[in-house]
Amino acid sequence: VTAQITAAGLGQSTTVGIGGDAVHGLSMRECLELFLADPDTHGVVLIGEIGGTEEQEAADFIRAVRPEIPIVALIVGLHAPVERRMGHSGALTLDGKGSAEAKIAAMKAAGVIVAESPHLVGETIREALTAVALPQAVVA
Amino acid sequence: MAILIDQNTRVICQGMTGWAGTHYTESMLKYGTRVVAGVTPGKGGHTHLDRPVFNTVAEAAGETGANASMIFVPPATAASAMIEAIEAEVPLVVALTERVPVLDMLRVRHALMGSRTRLVGPNSQTRRAFFRQGSASSASWRREARGRVPSASYRGRHRSRAR
């Protein structure tokens, strides 16, 4: 994804991999807070996957603060089977919780632009940024 | 600018002398990250990749003024490494290790409460954020980005060795 964004002609102020384990430190929401507080970050790309509630928390936060910069999200795992761990120990759908569908819905409800497919992220953030000008993006 | 890190970030690498530590530290150095020291208990006083190695995080941070730590320690002892960095009040700790036991991480979360440390990971790919700093020009960054499209192969290597 970072390569795509770079290929789209956008630099990244910071890229953060928050970690795929079930229990970890910095959350997606905290990370987003930091990015929104950074005057040189003009757009944010969030990459989420199934399992946990990080993306929902980030979506709630976005809905509450209504950021001025565009936020693009990619949520992977639409076709992941339930109750099977997918690579990362945190990537697990249980009892219908943490599904990609639910996360995409939460993101859309918060006004986030959701990239339909992994290969469209670069294009999506570029379009979103051209709408508000200034080329610089960030990946979380 | 950036978040979490900038060109003044001074990094120590816990587990630098190990396989993963050597590999990633070399990449970080190539990218221009200011790696100032390594930490491996028992190897204090040695030099690795032209950087001094210390026995403890407190010692390394005290001697070098480091303000961030990367953790390349295997899963079984990764939590202790994180807790050591938290106790040494390193402001930013990034753990790359995958498969840290969940119960160990609960101890780490407990140590984080009320601490001065911000932890990224474990199982984080944040090395690129670290890479991003320093003197790297946008051209070299672009090369880097193209050459290393998602780090799948890297992760594969990292994992198979970590097992």
Side-chain angles (χ1 to χ4, degrees), chain B residues 16-148:
Chain B
M16 184 169 80
T17 56
W19 178 83
T22 305
H23 174 78
Y24 289 108
T25 306
E26 275 175 349
S27 308
M28 287 162 75
L29 289 171
K30 260 188 220 158
Y31 201 79
T33 304
R34 292 174 69 179
V35 179
V36 292
V39 175
T40 302
K43 291 193 184 168
H46 289 243
T47 303
H48 188 62
L49 303 175
D50 290 332
R51 298 294 184 284
V53 178
F54 295 91
N55 285 323
T56 66
V57 174
E59 219 181 322
E63 291 286 324
T64 61
N67 54 6
S69 178
M70 284 288 296
I71 295 184
F72 304 109
V73 176
T77 44
S80 322
M82 286 178 236
I83 290 169
E84 188 189 343
I86 294 165
E87 285 174 352
E89 301 192 332
V90 178
L92 176 66
V93 177
V94 180
L96 187 115
T97 314
E98 182 165 7
R99 294 162 197 269
V100 179
V102 173
L103 281 177
D104 286 8
M105 276 315 295
L106 295 181
R107 282 198 294 130
V108 175
R109 286 299 296 236
H110 187 74
L112 275 171
M113 277 189 268
S115 79
R116 292 182 172 189
T117 301
R118 192 170 254 153
L119 172 72
V120 179
N123 196 355
S124 167
Q125 312 284 312
T126 312
R127 62 204 178 87
R128 182 156 289 150
F130 271 82
F131 281 159
R132 184 72 184 83
Q133 67 172 318
S135 56
S137 67
S138 62
S140 77
W141 162 236
R142 198 157 287 193
R143 235 180 2 256
E144 186 89 9
R146 289 225 177 103
R148 302 195 177 157

